[in-house]
Amino acid sequence: MSFTSGNDENILQRTDTKVVSAGAGDDIYILAANQIADNQHITISDVNGANILRLTGGLKITSSSVTSNAAQLTLDNGAVVTILGADSFTFEVGGTGLQSSPVSKDFGNFVTDILGVTLPAAGVAPVVGSSVDVNSDGSTTGG
C-alpha cells in the first residue's frame, strides 16, 4: 500500500500480511469481509493523527480479545486483525466501505457496545468477546 503524509483512506487487502501503518495524518482503515483472505493476519499500528477503523456491513467477528489499548478480532474466515494503540482509534460500524459509517464509537464504547465486554484496565489480563455480525445500517447481532 502506498501512503502519504496526509489523510489516507486505506482498504485493508489480501496483500496486507504484516504491519499496516499510514503514519502521519488522520487515516481511515477500512475492514471489509470481501477484501480479507482466509487465515490472513494483519496488524494495524498507527498512533499518529485521529485514526478510524471502519468495520463494514457483512463483517462477521467470531471472537475478540481486548486489552486496555489493543484489540484482536478473529473473523469468520479465520483471518485475524490486531489493532495496536486501539484506544486512540475511533471505530465506525456499518456502511459499505468508502462512505462514512452510520455508527461511530470511541474504543471503550466499541468494546462495551459492540464486542459485549467491559474494557479492562491497564495491566489486567485480556478479556474475550463473543461473536458479532456487523450490518450495513450500523446495527450488530451478537456481542
Side-chain angles (χ1 to χ4, degrees):
M1 244 185 242
S2 176
F3 300 113
T4 70
S5 60
N7 303 329
D8 296 310
E9 290 190 35
N10 314 291
I11 299 172
L12 299 171
Q13 303 173 39
R14 297 175 189 278
T15 55
D16 295 325
T17 57
K18 305 223 186 253
V19 176
V20 176
S21 177
D26 299 336
D27 304 310
I28 299 172
Y29 297 88
I30 300 168
L31 181 56
N34 65 351
Q35 296 296 318
I36 303 299
D38 293 352
N39 303 309
Q40 181 176 355
H41 287 251
I42 302 171
T43 298
I44 302 168
S45 178
D46 187 346
V47 295
N48 299 307
N51 300 308
I52 295 170
L53 178 60
R54 184 174 296 153
L55 292 85
T56 64
L59 191 70
K60 296 181 185 304
I61 301 168
T62 58
S63 68
S64 59
S65 179
V66 179
T67 67
S68 64
N69 63 357
Q72 186 173 73
L73 309 175
T74 302
L75 308 182
D76 65 336
N77 67 354
V80 177
V81 179
T82 302
I83 306 99
L84 303 177
D87 57 332
S88 67
F89 274 72
T90 297
F91 291 79
E92 291 186 352
V93 181
T96 59
L98 294 177
Q99 73 185 44
S100 182
S101 297
V103 174
S104 180
K105 298 186 176 285
D106 65 19
F107 182 54
N109 287 317
F110 170 74
V111 169
T112 302
D113 299 345
I114 304 300
L115 300 180
V117 295
T118 302
L119 183 66
V124 174
V127 295
V128 177
S130 58
S131 64
V132 176
D133 293 349
V134 177
N135 303 310
S136 58
D137 66 358
S139 66
T140 57
T141 307

